[in-house]
Every structure is written in structure tokens, then in C-alpha cells.
Amino acid sequence: MADDELIPPSPSEEAYSVDQDQGEVFTDDDPLALFADWLALAKRAEPNDPNAMALATVDADGLPDVRMVLLKDIDAAGLTFYTNTQSAKGEQLAANPQAAVCFHWKTIRRQVRFRGPVAPVSDEAADAYFKTRARSARIGAWASAQSRPMAGKLALAKEVALKAAQFGIGEVPRPPHWSGYTIVPTQIEFWVNRPFRLHDRKVFLRESVGAPWRTERLYP
Ligand SMILES: Cc1cc2nc3c(=O)[nH]c(=O)nc-3n(C[C@H](O)[C@H](O)[C@H](O)COP(=O)(O)O)c2cc1C
């Protein structure tokens, strides 16, 4: 039995009747332009991190893994995020360069999912983005052996202090183990909440990168 104190019960008929139908929301035939429109709406509504997305990868045993990352760039090539390439996700992507991401914006009750192959960003692009990060975050990228066991919080503070001393007031270059990945979508699905769980879904599919998109509506 679900714990109603902890887990919200299924909405009543009355609760659904105040649940607004958002009407036609698939307002563009280009999925990346449509995504940009939805992200702009989310940016106005979300309390923080409208660009946060759950990134799914699989490990060498085929076991899925998922964690949040921040979308940092979107263009015709795809969706780019940055991370430590020696992290769990970095190793998983090295072994199997494919991923899925999911955005869920609670404030506007919408979800967008992407799937596709993953390509590393160029050194130039990674350098350019790294330069935009706060100095302390740049030092942090050197100090953190992301995803590997750490003796304690003090170990990280010590590494941060060591790296800060090492760079002094000089430039903090991008670490060799820190870069970005671009998910090149071959599937993009848009979902919007509707009353009585009769949600609206539209998926854009293409056989390969560069092939034309075709669309399908899906049962909720
Ligand atoms: C909202 C949010 C945004 C995050 N953004 C990033 C990010 O852009 N890059 C990153 O490496 N980790 C980010 N993290 C931390 C990751 O979720 C994760 O803890 C870390 O990357 C290690 O993941 P891994 O061990 O699966 O490689 C973010 C976490 C949250 C909650």
C-alpha cells in the first residue's frame, strides 16, 4: 500500500477539473526550435536550473546509470554538457558513446526526451566554455577526481587549497580530464500534461544524423 502521507494520492475528478489543458503546444515543425521555445518558457517559470537534464548512459555490463547535468549549449549538432571525462559517466561514454537525456519542468508540466549517439566537443569549444566558469569552479575542476572514492571532505578542501596555491594569481587552464560531450539526437519526444492522464506526446525521429525528421503522435 502506498503511504499517502508521503506519496501524493491520485488526483480526484475535482482536482483534474482545475488542471488546465494547455492546448496545442507542438508549435514548430523543427524539433530543436520547438525545444528552444519550451526551454524559454521553462526559464521564465522554474525556480532554478531550467537547463538541468537527467543524463542516462550504460556501463560495460549494460546496466543503465543516470544523473543530472546542465545543458550548456544547443545548436544544430545537438545538446552539449561538460564534465570530468574520467568520471563514471565519462568512462561509460568512452565504452558506449550513446545517451539519453530527459528534461522535466514541474512548473509548466512538460517533459522532453532526447536519444542518440554522443560525440566529444572540440578542445577549442571546451576551452572557450571553461574560460567562462568562475575561477573557483575552474580550480575545483582540477581538485575533484569526480566519481572516485574520497577519504573525507577535508581531502577535497586540501586539493582545492593545493591547486589554488599552484595556480597562484595565474591563469587556470582547462584540465586535460575535463571536457564536453554533444548528444546528437536521432529521437526527440515532447510531452505535455493533460487532465486525467490523457497527456499529449509527439516524437520526432530520424534514421541517422542528417536524415530528415519524421513525426508520430504517441498514446500517453
Ligand atoms: C542540477 C544538477 C546539475 C548538475 N550538473 C552537472 C554538470 O553539468 N556536470 C557534471 O559533471 N555534474 C553535474 N552534476 C552532478 C552530477 O549529477 C553527478 O553527481 C556527477 O557528475 C557524477 O556523476 P557520475 O559519477 O555518474 O559520473 C549536477 C547535479 C545536479 C543536481
Side-chain angles (χ1 to χ4, degrees), residues 121-141:
V121 305
S122 68
D123 285 345
E124 293 71 31
D127 285 341
Y129 171 65
F130 192 72
K131 278 199 178 83
T132 70
R133 289 172 50 117
R135 184 180 178 82
S136 301
R138 279 181 275 153
I139 290 172

Side-chain angles (χ1 to χ4, degrees), residues 48-49 51-53 55 57 65-72 81-84 86-92 129 133 146-148 178-179:
N48 57 48
D49 296 335
N51 56 331
M53 55 189 186
L55 166 75
T57 49
D65 207 348
V66 65
R67 81 291 284 160
M68 302 305 293
V69 294
L70 295 176
L71 173 69
K72 284 293 165 182
F81 68 93
Y82 288 90
T83 192
N84 184 315
Q86 295 168 350
S87 63
K89 73 181 89 51
E91 291 188 348
Q92 290 160 6
Y129 171 65
R133 289 172 50 117
Q146 192 179 57
S147 310
R148 276 145 289 168
W178 193 97
S179 192

